[in-house]
Amino acid sequence: SGSSGAIVATCVDGTTREVMTIEAQKVVASMGNFTNDLWNGIIANCDPLATHTPPPSITYHCKGRYVGYRGKTPVSRLVYPCPLPNLKGLGVHSVINMDGHVLFGPDALYVDESKSSDYSISTSEEAQMIQSSYEAIRKYIPSIERERLFADFAGVRPKLSKEGEAARDFQIDEIKLGTHGGLIILSGIESPGLTASTAIAEHVATLLNPERAKNGVLDQLPWANR
């Protein structure tokens, strides 16, 4: 960073190994499972110029697995279980995929950060996952048949709460650098982050340029009057 707070990022192409340098006054970072890496870089390189550095938003990696259903499903729409105390997520619920098929999930299994890119469902965990999913589903769909369930796919999401803690909402931090520079970090943006995406965008736009927001420029955004 320069004295004005400009952020200089050095990027390396994963294929060609070509090095490219990007400089910007303000940067918005939504790093998903790599948020911890970003915070480590900030602590190492940006603290000398930071006029406001919030504590790092440490994220914990949680694997969510889905099961499919063979044959006709007993439901054809979204069905959610009633929330339970200390629930890690929304609970195992029915979802409709792009092909119109019904899936159930996700469950919530915390994993080590080194496995944050491992979306596989191993043979050793498959039987246990199907059984636990079946037990969760039959509480609100008693007619579900276990033998029709099969392992489908999985993903890993960053959570701000570690295992055993109450769920936390996503977090938006602002770090001011020098006189004009700034870095905005979005951490732990999981459900309902997509639903709230326009509200998140408006909030970030206000942080980037408070004066324009004060003058009503944000009211002209495409979604503002919907």
Side-chain angles (χ1 to χ4, degrees), residues 95-175:
V95 296
I96 315 297
N97 68 12
M98 297 296 289
D99 296 324
H101 296 124
V102 176
L103 306 175
F104 296 95
D107 62 358
L109 177 69
Y110 280 87
V111 297
D112 185 82
E113 187 169 350
S114 63
K115 298 182 178 179
S116 63
S117 298
D118 181 7
Y119 304 146
S120 63
I121 300 176
S122 66
T123 304
S124 60
E125 68 179 300
E126 185 174 329
Q128 180 277 331
M129 181 200 74
I130 291 176
Q131 180 61 30
S132 62
S133 296
Y134 167 70
E135 292 172 0
I137 299 165
R138 69 190 296 264
K139 291 178 181 178
Y140 59 95
I141 307 178
S143 60
I144 200 76
E145 299 177 46
R146 187 194 184 284
E147 60 271 16
R148 292 178 180 266
L149 297 173
F150 63 91
D152 196 285
F153 76 98
V156 179
R157 59 194 184 275
K159 297 178 73 69
L160 291 169
S161 54
K162 58 185 176 182
E163 190 164 15
E165 291 183 342
R168 289 177 55 192
D169 203 353
F170 41 76
Q171 186 166 327
I172 301 174
D173 293 306
E174 180 183 20
I175 300 176

Side-chain angles (χ1 to χ4, degrees), residues 170 189-198 200:
F170 41 76
I189 309 292
E190 54 174 331
S191 183
L194 181 60
T195 307
S197 58
T198 54
I200 293 172

Side-chain angles (χ1 to χ4, degrees), residues 24-68:
Q25 284 294 130
K26 297 182 179 181
V27 173
V28 179
S30 184
M31 301 285 287
N33 287 333
F34 299 97
T35 299
N36 294 344
D37 294 334
L38 176 64
W39 275 109
N40 290 336
I42 291 170
I43 293 171
N45 299 301
C46 294
D47 266 356
L49 284 175
T51 57
H52 171 56
T53 305
S57 299
I58 302 300
T59 57
Y60 304 90
H61 299 88
C62 189
K63 191 174 187 178
R65 302 169 296 185
Y66 287 81
V67 294

